[in-house]
Amino acid sequence: MNEHTRKRVAVLISGRGSNMTALIDAAKEPSYSAEIALVVSNNPDAAGLGRARAAGIVTATIDHRPFGKDREAFEHALHRVLEAHHIDLICLAGFMRLLTAAFTSAWQGRIINIHPALLPAFRGLDTHARALAAGAATHGATVHFVVPEMDAGPIIAQAAVPVLAGDTPETLAARVLRVEHEIYPAALRALAEGRVAIGTMKKPPV
Ligand code: GRF
């Protein structure tokens, strides 16, 4: 695919960045419709930053701590970096900061997230422990558009895995993570190719 037609993607991380790596690996495929142009972390110690640099991806760190409670100022800095790199699409991948409604609205339709549960079940944190505590027979992962309400945007892709006898939050998380790495690149490709969107449903032909 021509470099000029590939969507420029920023992946936002806070930690180890295994989903980020899955996206970087998928985008190496010449026919993939997006390129990972930038990785941004709010955490200077995120292991994913080193993984991104090792893959030759430009990285930026915007430490949220000096901004204190001023989320707008943090997001302003983030916005400037995204603009400087001509970013078209944002993938949240283990990004542990809540974004304001102003930010998510400005990027609506162009920002997606991966959540380690079958939404709308288990929004929020500690999804694997909660799925086990609830006695769920299946669990999984969801890629969805980001909207102001947390983990509530339209769903793009989901994958289910079985919950097995003797599972711990860690064994279940590892099983879910494997499918995360499959559905996130697939969902980003669909978005970059315009096969999914928010609010463009047309009336079906009669
Ligand atoms: C993943 O489980 C993702 O679903 C959740 O945070 C975790 C990030 O893991 N949002 P990684 O940094 O991509 O390895």
Side-chain angles (χ1 to χ4, degrees), residues 180-200:
E180 292 185 36
H181 297 164
E182 291 171 17
I183 63 172
Y184 212 178
L188 174 59
R189 184 196 279 262
L191 176 64
E193 293 177 358
R195 289 185 280 115
V196 290
I198 292 187
T200 57

Side-chain angles (χ1 to χ4, degrees), residues 3 6 21-36 57 185 188:
E3 279 300 312
R6 300 178 95 197
T21 302
L23 294 171
I24 291 171
D25 288 346
K28 285 183 189 152
E29 162 70 40
S31 70
Y32 197 79
S33 44
E35 65 173 303
I36 310 306
I57 308 292
L188 174 59

Side-chain angles (χ1 to χ4, degrees), residues 12-51:
L12 272 51
I13 63 167
S14 300
R16 76 191 151 182
S18 73
N19 278 288
M20 171 205 77
T21 302
L23 294 171
I24 291 171
D25 288 346
K28 285 183 189 152
E29 162 70 40
S31 70
Y32 197 79
S33 44
E35 65 173 303
I36 310 306
L38 178 69
V39 168
V40 184
S41 177
N42 67 303
N43 169 15
D45 299 324
L49 283 171
R51 297 173 85 168

Side-chain angles (χ1 to χ4, degrees), residues 104 108-109 111-113 115 119-120 123 142-158 197-198:
T104 57
Q108 182 145 317
I111 179 169
I112 62 177
N113 180 46
H115 181 76
L119 290 173
R123 293 180 181 177
T142 303
V143 181
H144 63 93
F145 283 106
V146 175
V147 297
E149 192 182 344
M150 192 180 66
D151 300 329
I155 290 169
I156 301 170
Q158 289 189 309
I198 292 187

